Amino acid sequence: MMYETLKLETDARGVATLTLAREEKHNAMSAQMIAELTQAAAALAADDAVRVVVLTGAGKSFCAGGDLGWMQAQRDMDGPTRSAEAGKLATMLGALNTLPKPLIGRVQGNAFGGGVGMASVCDVAIGVDTLKMGFTETRLGIIPATIGPYVLARMGEGRARRVFMSARLFDAAEAVDLGLLARAVPADALDAAIEAEVVPYLSCAPGAVAAAKQLARDLGPRIDAQVVDHTIAALADRWETEEAAEGIGAFFDKRKAAWVTG
């Protein structure tokens, strides 16, 4: 299968590398990328030759969140259409979160908003020690809703509340402390750190790995259709507010939103 926003390569060991390939856009998620990630997750799940999947980004950024054009298009949609778009993002995140293969995040650069969600659906994420992360949605008058179940499952509510609402950027060391990253390493040590996560799986029974991952998901925080639908509705409701109109408008107008006092 050919992708325009992704690159997918599998080596002789069965290690697939799925790369977000919109380097010029800091790998921001467009509607096309979301659709292609959903397709890629299904293809990887069905491919018995794939033992491990590494998720990474091309260029300096891992994933900058939502693409500006996608955001602008959502601003102009009606409520039901906007909910459907949020549903597509939720479906993609769910497909990666439940991928029946180990999913290792190679976070080679900054991750904001939905990019932090992408790191959170990985079974383990390792990042470079120079990166920044942040849940930047509330600056725009919206909320990190669709990614919420995955980042809360990764971080726990107490740690999430330190950064989930403030849009504050934080560094790699704090991302480790928050549980978003397992480790932060220098850029020249990142590939070796990822390889150290990959290799043990090549001695494991693939079916047992998939079953163990499913069991962990069954025993972990509930992320079912009801939870996902709640996040979609919460995001759709926020888009209808005056704050969202002001925040998104200010962003595209390159001005401060009305609530900014600092």
Side-chain angles (χ1 to χ4, degrees), residues 41 88-99 121 146 150 217 223 228:
K88 293 174 184 176
L89 175 58
T91 296
M92 180 271 287
L93 291 168
L96 289 174
N97 192 55
T98 58
L99 186 73
V121 299
T146 317
Y150 308 103
R217 181 76 292 281
I223 306 176
V228 171

PDB file of all heavy atoms in Angstrom, residues 41 88-99 121 146 150 217 223 228:
ATOM      1  N   ALA A  41      -2.353   1.037  10.418  1.00  0.00           N
ATOM      2  CA  ALA A  41      -2.552   0.223  11.616  1.00  0.00           C
ATOM      3  C   ALA A  41      -3.234  -1.090  11.271  1.00  0.00           C
ATOM      4  O   ALA A  41      -2.850  -2.160  11.776  1.00  0.00           O
ATOM      5  CB  ALA A  41      -3.368   1.004  12.659  1.00  0.00           C
ATOM      6  N   LYS A  88     -12.935  10.266  13.467  1.00  0.00           N
ATOM      7  CA  LYS A  88     -11.872   9.670  12.655  1.00  0.00           C
ATOM      8  C   LYS A  88     -10.542   9.680  13.413  1.00  0.00           C
ATOM      9  O   LYS A  88      -9.779   8.712  13.363  1.00  0.00           O
ATOM     10  CB  LYS A  88     -11.738  10.422  11.334  1.00  0.00           C
ATOM     11  CG  LYS A  88     -12.935  10.259  10.411  1.00  0.00           C
ATOM     12  CD  LYS A  88     -12.808  11.141   9.176  1.00  0.00           C
ATOM     13  CE  LYS A  88     -14.053  11.061   8.301  1.00  0.00           C
ATOM     14  NZ  LYS A  88     -13.976  12.001   7.148  1.00  0.00           N
ATOM     15  N   LEU A  89     -10.269  10.784  14.110  1.00  0.00           N
ATOM     16  CA  LEU A  89      -9.054  10.856  14.922  1.00  0.00           C
ATOM     17  C   LEU A  89      -9.099   9.828  16.048  1.00  0.00           C
ATOM     18  O   LEU A  89      -8.113   9.129  16.311  1.00  0.00           O
ATOM     19  CB  LEU A  89      -8.890  12.263  15.491  1.00  0.00           C
ATOM     20  CG  LEU A  89      -7.721  12.487  16.458  1.00  0.00           C
ATOM     21  CD1 LEU A  89      -6.389  12.139  15.822  1.00  0.00           C
ATOM     22  CD2 LEU A  89      -7.721  13.932  16.958  1.00  0.00           C
ATOM     23  N   ALA A  90     -10.258   9.711  16.686  1.00  0.00           N
ATOM     24  CA  ALA A  90     -10.404   8.741  17.779  1.00  0.00           C
ATOM     25  C   ALA A  90     -10.222   7.316  17.279  1.00  0.00           C
ATOM     26  O   ALA A  90      -9.607   6.481  17.955  1.00  0.00           O
ATOM     27  CB  ALA A  90     -11.778   8.905  18.429  1.00  0.00           C
ATOM     28  N   THR A  91     -10.749   7.026  16.101  1.00  0.00           N
ATOM     29  CA  THR A  91     -10.610   5.686  15.518  1.00  0.00           C
ATOM     30  C   THR A  91      -9.146   5.359  15.252  1.00  0.00           C
ATOM     31  O   THR A  91      -8.674   4.250  15.529  1.00  0.00           O
ATOM     32  CB  THR A  91     -11.414   5.587  14.215  1.00  0.00           C
ATOM     33  OG1 THR A  91     -12.803   5.749  14.513  1.00  0.00           O
ATOM     34  CG2 THR A  91     -11.211   4.238  13.530  1.00  0.00           C
ATOM     35  N   MET A  92      -8.404   6.347  14.726  1.00  0.00           N
ATOM     36  CA  MET A  92      -6.985   6.137  14.452  1.00  0.00           C
ATOM     37  C   MET A  92      -6.201   5.883  15.728  1.00  0.00           C
ATOM     38  O   MET A  92      -5.406   4.936  15.811  1.00  0.00           O
ATOM     39  CB  MET A  92      -6.422   7.357  13.711  1.00  0.00           C
ATOM     40  CG  MET A  92      -4.947   7.249  13.369  1.00  0.00           C
ATOM     41  SD  MET A  92      -3.857   7.878  14.679  1.00  0.00           S
ATOM     42  CE  MET A  92      -4.119   9.641  14.512  1.00  0.00           C
ATOM     43  N   LEU A  93      -6.437   6.703  16.746  1.00  0.00           N
ATOM     44  CA  LEU A  93      -5.728   6.524  18.015  1.00  0.00           C
ATOM     45  C   LEU A  93      -6.060   5.169  18.639  1.00  0.00           C
ATOM     46  O   LEU A  93      -5.185   4.480  19.161  1.00  0.00           O
ATOM     47  CB  LEU A  93      -6.095   7.653  18.983  1.00  0.00           C
ATOM     48  CG  LEU A  93      -5.565   9.036  18.621  1.00  0.00           C
ATOM     49  CD1 LEU A  93      -6.246  10.096  19.483  1.00  0.00           C
ATOM     50  CD2 LEU A  93      -4.054   9.105  18.777  1.00  0.00           C
ATOM     51  N   GLY A  94      -7.324   4.778  18.548  1.00  0.00           N
ATOM     52  CA  GLY A  94      -7.728   3.485  19.089  1.00  0.00           C
ATOM     53  C   GLY A  94      -7.080   2.330  18.353  1.00  0.00           C
ATOM     54  O   GLY A  94      -6.685   1.329  18.971  1.00  0.00           O
ATOM     55  N   ALA A  95      -6.960   2.463  17.035  1.00  0.00           N
ATOM     56  CA  ALA A  95      -6.338   1.397  16.239  1.00  0.00           C
ATOM     57  C   ALA A  95      -4.872   1.219  16.612  1.00  0.00           C
ATOM     58  O   ALA A  95      -4.372   0.094  16.718  1.00  0.00           O
ATOM     59  CB  ALA A  95      -6.480   1.705  14.749  1.00  0.00           C
ATOM     60  N   LEU A  96      -4.162   2.308  16.832  1.00  0.00           N
ATOM     61  CA  LEU A  96      -2.763   2.212  17.242  1.00  0.00           C
ATOM     62  C   LEU A  96      -2.648   1.717  18.678  1.00  0.00           C
ATOM     63  O   LEU A  96      -1.759   0.932  19.005  1.00  0.00           O
ATOM     64  CB  LEU A  96      -2.073   3.565  17.093  1.00  0.00           C
ATOM     65  CG  LEU A  96      -1.821   4.045  15.666  1.00  0.00           C
ATOM     66  CD1 LEU A  96      -1.266   5.467  15.672  1.00  0.00           C
ATOM     67  CD2 LEU A  96      -0.868   3.115  14.924  1.00  0.00           C
ATOM     68  N   ASN A  97      -3.551   2.163  19.541  1.00  0.00           N
ATOM     69  CA  ASN A  97      -3.492   1.774  20.950  1.00  0.00           C
ATOM     70  C   ASN A  97      -3.711   0.275  21.138  1.00  0.00           C
ATOM     71  O   ASN A  97      -3.158  -0.327  22.059  1.00  0.00           O
ATOM     72  CB  ASN A  97      -4.545   2.551  21.739  1.00  0.00           C
ATOM     73  CG  ASN A  97      -4.359   2.432  23.234  1.00  0.00           C
ATOM     74  OD1 ASN A  97      -3.300   2.732  23.756  1.00  0.00           O
ATOM     75  ND2 ASN A  97      -5.400   1.991  23.930  1.00  0.00           N
ATOM     76  N   THR A  98      -4.521  -0.321  20.287  1.00  0.00           N
ATOM     77  CA  THR A  98      -4.837  -1.749  20.409  1.00  0.00           C
ATOM     78  C   THR A  98      -4.126  -2.595  19.355  1.00  0.00           C
ATOM     79  O   THR A  98      -4.464  -3.766  19.180  1.00  0.00           O
ATOM     80  CB  THR A  98      -6.356  -1.974  20.302  1.00  0.00           C
ATOM     81  OG1 THR A  98      -6.828  -1.449  19.051  1.00  0.00           O
ATOM     82  CG2 THR A  98      -7.086  -1.282  21.444  1.00  0.00           C
ATOM     83  N   LEU A  99      -3.143  -2.011  18.674  1.00  0.00           N
ATOM     84  CA  LEU A  99      -2.375  -2.766  17.681  1.00  0.00           C
ATOM     85  C   LEU A  99      -1.828  -4.043  18.323  1.00  0.00           C
ATOM     86  O   LEU A  99      -1.171  -3.977  19.361  1.00  0.00           O
ATOM     87  CB  LEU A  99      -1.220  -1.901  17.168  1.00  0.00           C
ATOM     88  CG  LEU A  99      -0.394  -2.472  16.022  1.00  0.00           C
ATOM     89  CD1 LEU A  99      -1.184  -2.437  14.720  1.00  0.00           C
ATOM     90  CD2 LEU A  99       0.901  -1.664  15.871  1.00  0.00           C
ATOM     91  N   VAL A 121      -0.086   6.400  22.857  1.00  0.00           N
ATOM     92  CA  VAL A 121      -0.639   5.113  22.431  1.00  0.00           C
ATOM     93  C   VAL A 121       0.451   4.076  22.202  1.00  0.00           C
ATOM     94  O   VAL A 121       0.152   2.902  21.960  1.00  0.00           O
ATOM     95  CB  VAL A 121      -1.531   5.241  21.164  1.00  0.00           C
ATOM     96  CG1 VAL A 121      -2.714   6.143  21.432  1.00  0.00           C
ATOM     97  CG2 VAL A 121      -0.728   5.728  19.956  1.00  0.00           C
ATOM     98  N   THR A 146      -9.932  14.170  22.556  1.00  0.00           N
ATOM     99  CA  THR A 146      -9.859  12.873  21.877  1.00  0.00           C
ATOM    100  C   THR A 146      -8.638  12.079  22.311  1.00  0.00           C
ATOM    101  O   THR A 146      -8.684  10.845  22.380  1.00  0.00           O
ATOM    102  CB  THR A 146      -9.848  13.078  20.350  1.00  0.00           C
ATOM    103  OG1 THR A 146     -10.813  14.073  20.003  1.00  0.00           O
ATOM    104  CG2 THR A 146     -10.202  11.792  19.635  1.00  0.00           C
ATOM    105  N   TYR A 150      -6.023   8.261  26.347  1.00  0.00           N
ATOM    106  CA  TYR A 150      -4.723   7.628  26.171  1.00  0.00           C
ATOM    107  C   TYR A 150      -3.659   8.303  27.038  1.00  0.00           C
ATOM    108  O   TYR A 150      -2.819   7.622  27.635  1.00  0.00           O
ATOM    109  CB  TYR A 150      -4.344   7.633  24.692  1.00  0.00           C
ATOM    110  CG  TYR A 150      -5.455   7.063  23.861  1.00  0.00           C
ATOM    111  CD1 TYR A 150      -6.310   7.890  23.128  1.00  0.00           C
ATOM    112  CD2 TYR A 150      -5.720   5.693  23.866  1.00  0.00           C
ATOM    113  CE1 TYR A 150      -7.366   7.365  22.404  1.00  0.00           C
ATOM    114  CE2 TYR A 150      -6.780   5.157  23.148  1.00  0.00           C
ATOM    115  CZ  TYR A 150      -7.599   6.000  22.423  1.00  0.00           C
ATOM    116  OH  TYR A 150      -8.659   5.474  21.720  1.00  0.00           O
ATOM    117  N   ARG A 217      -4.387  -4.227  28.347  1.00  0.00           N
ATOM    118  CA  ARG A 217      -5.415  -3.240  27.979  1.00  0.00           C
ATOM    119  C   ARG A 217      -6.737  -3.542  28.686  1.00  0.00           C
ATOM    120  O   ARG A 217      -7.432  -2.635  29.158  1.00  0.00           O
ATOM    121  CB  ARG A 217      -5.591  -3.254  26.454  1.00  0.00           C
ATOM    122  CG  ARG A 217      -6.607  -2.268  25.891  1.00  0.00           C
ATOM    123  CD  ARG A 217      -6.083  -0.838  25.878  1.00  0.00           C
ATOM    124  NE  ARG A 217      -5.897  -0.252  27.192  1.00  0.00           N
ATOM    125  CZ  ARG A 217      -6.881   0.249  27.944  1.00  0.00           C
ATOM    126  NH1 ARG A 217      -8.124   0.208  27.504  1.00  0.00           N
ATOM    127  NH2 ARG A 217      -6.626   0.770  29.111  1.00  0.00           N
ATOM    128  N   ILE A 223     -11.252   2.209  28.225  1.00  0.00           N
ATOM    129  CA  ILE A 223     -11.311   3.045  27.024  1.00  0.00           C
ATOM    130  C   ILE A 223     -12.200   2.307  26.027  1.00  0.00           C
ATOM    131  O   ILE A 223     -11.721   1.581  25.152  1.00  0.00           O
ATOM    132  CB  ILE A 223      -9.921   3.313  26.422  1.00  0.00           C
ATOM    133  CG1 ILE A 223      -8.969   3.888  27.465  1.00  0.00           C
ATOM    134  CG2 ILE A 223     -10.034   4.289  25.245  1.00  0.00           C
ATOM    135  CD1 ILE A 223      -7.545   4.099  26.968  1.00  0.00           C
ATOM    136  N   VAL A 228     -14.922   6.925  24.436  1.00  0.00           N
ATOM    137  CA  VAL A 228     -14.507   7.612  23.216  1.00  0.00           C
ATOM    138  C   VAL A 228     -15.601   8.569  22.745  1.00  0.00           C
ATOM    139  O   VAL A 228     -15.324   9.722  22.376  1.00  0.00           O
ATOM    140  CB  VAL A 228     -14.139   6.601  22.123  1.00  0.00           C
ATOM    141  CG1 VAL A 228     -13.909   7.301  20.782  1.00  0.00           C
ATOM    142  CG2 VAL A 228     -12.880   5.825  22.528  1.00  0.00           C
TER     143      VAL A 228
END
